[in-house]
Amino acid sequence: MTEQTRFQLNETDLPKFWYNIYADSPVAPTPVLHPGTMEPVTPDFLSVLFPMDLILQEISSERYIEIPEEVREIYKLYRPTPLLRARRLEKALGTTAHIYYKYEGVSPSGSHKPNTAIPQAYYNKVAGTKAMTTETGAGQWGSSLAFACNVFGIDLEVYMVKVSYHQKPYRRNLMETYGARVYASPTDLTNYGRSVLAENPGNLGSLGIAISEAVEAAATSNGTKKYGLGSVLNHVLLHQTVIGEEALKQMDMADEYPDVVIGCVGGGSNFAGIAYPFLRENLKNGKRARLVGVEPTATPTLTKGVYTFDYGDTAKMAPIVKMHTLGHDFMPPGIHAGGLRYHGMAPSISGLVDAGLIDAVAVKQKETFEAAIQFAKAEGIVPAPESAHAVRVAIDEALDAKAKGEKRVILFNLSGHGNFDMAAYESYLSGKLEDYEYPAEAVKESMSKLPQVNLPA
Ligand SMILES: *Cc1c(COP(=O)(O)O)cnc(C)c1O
């Protein structure tokens, strides 16, 4: 057994293809419906928002999609990312388990999100797009797309959830450093933003509202602006599979194979990124890794949400998809894992959870920060509050293996660092953080507002 801690691939090992789960998934893709007509959307409708290359990836059933050379060139600024064995954490826990983590925090914006921001900006550039719009919650996605748009010379406007705009000025400053313009959503720049403010001038915003504003800004721009989304969509999850493809090679270098693969889930992209290549090995090559998505009890989309057709945004302008949802009018409590506050979930993950091929668990805020601090003390890296949910379950798995005297190989995705999120740590350390469980009754109430879709059986 090697004593190696860090498993680092060479530039030449950078994946040449993204992996499309729909080529192998036993769960067929579900239709995407127009929010007005409730009929399946046409590429025409989507082409108002996205360039054709991304639309084709969205509906592709091809197993492997080639990563353009221009995208791989930019990936090389931070990829391949390292995989580490958390030896010091193992020792601190006194566990018989082996814990590995893939570290995506080495990217320019400090998370996995540039993995899709770079190709999204690239395909827009190729299609002649001069300007893009997007939304951001905690600021991770906005800063990633700001970086990528700057690389490819595209102008970017970001609708940032108002509460984060004020609480996270440094993320906003980072977006501005890359040249983006940032607005506190709800704004008075869109019809939808104005209607929200007319109803309640004090509205602090939500991801659903910010998406509606960014979509409206692109949809009403007479084709001058396109829109980019940082999670949920098939093409986003596709781009993230570079994480799992690299991790497969790195686990091989370590001469081990994971019994369990863990990631936090907001819209599902970093989890799919690490898990789907391992799911392929389960489905095609007889491997049996358990795949576990972790969410907060405050936004329990997979564990308490309903698997049904719902709108992707609050204003009902984004397409309707079949997914686990808490309801498109979900107003999240002010928890400290902003990137995990979306009301829905990637349709492919929802389908795979429903089919029992992926597990989901929810963890509380305080135990999550406790795990994050244990990890930081042992391994040095301060996890992003989102990533800390995966850390919590990785530690729980290691303690369970210890109790059972098992050697269990655990792999989790450390989706980002928390260096911009110290306010959240401050809340935890000063005892101000509260646990919160989103009530089942609230989900039930929202379900009365679902779109009434009639699909041929
Ligand atoms: C945005 C974000 C997430 C959640 O988004 P997914 O699409 O579920 O991956 C998780 N971790 C970090 C660090 C993020 O920035």
Side-chain angles (χ1 to χ4, degrees):
M1 177 59 62
T2 163
E3 284 301 294
Q4 207 172 332
T5 293
R6 195 178 167 93
F7 300 89
Q8 184 66 62
L9 297 166
N10 295 317
E11 218 168 270
T12 49
D13 297 314
L14 189 66
K16 294 194 168 64
F17 297 90
W18 291 302
Y19 170 60
N20 180 6
I21 191 64
Y22 280 118
D24 296 315
S25 174
V27 184
T30 47
V32 175
L33 308 178
H34 188 287
T37 65
M38 311 227 180
E39 299 284 330
V41 293
T42 55
D44 258 10
F45 169 78
L46 293 176
S47 70
V48 173
L49 299 179
F50 305 106
M52 198 47 75
D53 284 329
L54 291 176
I55 295 171
L56 293 176
Q57 291 181 359
E58 188 64 24
I59 59 178
S60 173
S61 54
E62 237 173 279
R63 180 168 289 114
Y64 293 106
I65 292 174
E66 192 165 3
I67 306 175
E69 201 43 50
E70 293 87 338
V71 170
R72 295 178 79 242
E73 278 308 310
I74 310 303
Y75 274 173
K76 283 178 189 167
L77 291 174
Y78 64 98
R79 303 208 74 84
T81 62
L83 180 119
L84 289 95
R85 175 147 170 215
R87 290 181 185 277
R88 291 177 47 80
L89 179 63
E90 287 170 16
K91 202 169 282 173
L93 298 171
T95 180
T96 42
H98 292 185
I99 308 173
Y100 292 86
Y101 62 98
K102 179 74 167 155
Y103 185 42
E104 291 293 306
V106 295
S107 84
S109 61
S111 76
H112 64 289
K113 291 205 170 77
N115 298 338
T116 185
I118 294 163
Q120 287 191 40
Y122 166 75
Y123 288 116
N124 269 288
K125 187 204 80 162
V126 169
T129 305
K130 299 277 187 292
M132 290 181 71
T133 71
T134 197
E135 71 291 326
T136 197
Q140 286 271 17
W141 168 241
S143 47
S144 302
L145 192 60
F147 158 71
C149 279
N150 175 61
V151 165
F152 291 108
I154 295 171
D155 183 73
L156 178 67
E157 62 190 57
V158 183
Y159 293 82
M160 184 174 191
V161 177
K162 194 169 277 177
V163 61
S164 302
Y165 182 94
H166 294 298
Q167 271 178 6
K168 302 203 162 187
Y170 296 145
R171 276 275 167 207
R172 184 199 341 146
N173 299 151
L174 182 58
M175 292 183 253
E176 290 164 349
T177 298
Y178 290 131
R181 266 165 296 114
V182 187
Y183 306 121
S185 165
T187 71
D188 57 8
L189 301 169
T190 66
N191 285 330
Y192 187 64
R194 284 188 291 270
S195 76
V196 169
L197 289 173
E199 208 170 287
N200 173 14
N203 190 307
L204 291 177
S206 71
L207 211 47
I209 294 171
I211 293 175
S212 300
E213 288 207 275
V215 166
E216 181 187 326
T220 59
S221 70
N222 292 319
T224 60
K225 295 175 191 171
K226 296 279 189 219
Y227 166 74
L229 189 64
S231 188
V232 181
L233 299 177
N234 295 333
H235 67 263
V236 178
L237 274 58
L238 174 81
H239 298 154
Q240 293 296 349
T241 57
V242 289
I243 302 172
E245 295 291 12
E246 288 178 7
L248 270 167
K249 287 190 192 171
Q250 287 162 309
M251 290 304 301
D252 212 39
M253 288 169 79
D255 211 11
E256 299 217 74
Y257 196 85
D259 296 303
V260 55
V261 178
I262 300 161
C264 64
V265 287
S269 73
N270 88 87
F271 172 69
I274 195 162
Y276 281 178
F278 287 93
L279 180 55
R280 174 189 64 214
E281 300 306 307
N282 284 357
L283 293 168
K284 309 229 338 152
N285 295 322
K287 301 287 193 193
R288 304 185 55 171
R290 263 186 303 127
L291 310 171
V292 184
V294 190
E295 60 189 11
T297 56
T299 57
T301 317
L302 286 171
T303 52
K304 274 193 188 165
V306 178
Y307 183 44
T308 185
F309 283 92
D310 197 6
Y311 300 99
D313 70 332
T314 310
K316 310 180 193 176
M317 289 189 295
I320 295 167
V321 295
K322 189 171 186 188
M323 61 182 173
H324 285 83
T325 177
L326 298 168
H328 59 273
D329 61 345
F330 174 66
M331 272 307 271
I335 59 163
H336 279 291
L340 303 181
R341 278 189 295 202
Y342 184 59
H343 69 271
M345 184 57 58
S348 63
I349 291 182
S350 292
L352 289 160
V353 167
D354 189 61
L357 292 168
I358 288 175
D359 296 336
V361 295
V363 294
K364 294 183 186 147
Q365 238 187 172
K366 281 199 270 191
E367 60 179 1
T368 297
F369 275 92
E370 189 188 314
I373 284 170
Q374 197 168 19
F375 181 86
K377 283 180 168 168
E379 299 291 319
I381 299 167
V382 176
E386 292 87 355
S387 320
H389 292 72
V391 178
R392 174 72 265 166
V393 171
I395 289 178
D396 289 346
E397 286 278 343
L399 293 176
D400 183 60
K402 174 184 178 181
K404 294 176 178 154
E406 286 173 23
K407 186 206 143 186
R408 193 176 299 174
V409 179
I410 299 164
L411 168 64
F412 74 92
N413 194 32
L414 190 63
S415 53
H417 67 65
N419 296 1
F420 284 95
D421 303 288
M422 295 320 291
Y425 280 85
E426 203 276 327
S427 294
Y428 173 76
L429 291 167
S430 61
K432 278 184 245 153
L433 217 57
E434 304 275 345
D435 281 334
Y436 177 78
E437 292 201 35
Y438 194 67
E441 305 82 71
V443 181
K444 213 167 154 192
E445 197 183 310
S446 277
M447 292 305 113
S448 64
K449 296 166 203 156
L450 290 173
Q452 298 301 310
V453 304
N454 283 311
L455 286 173

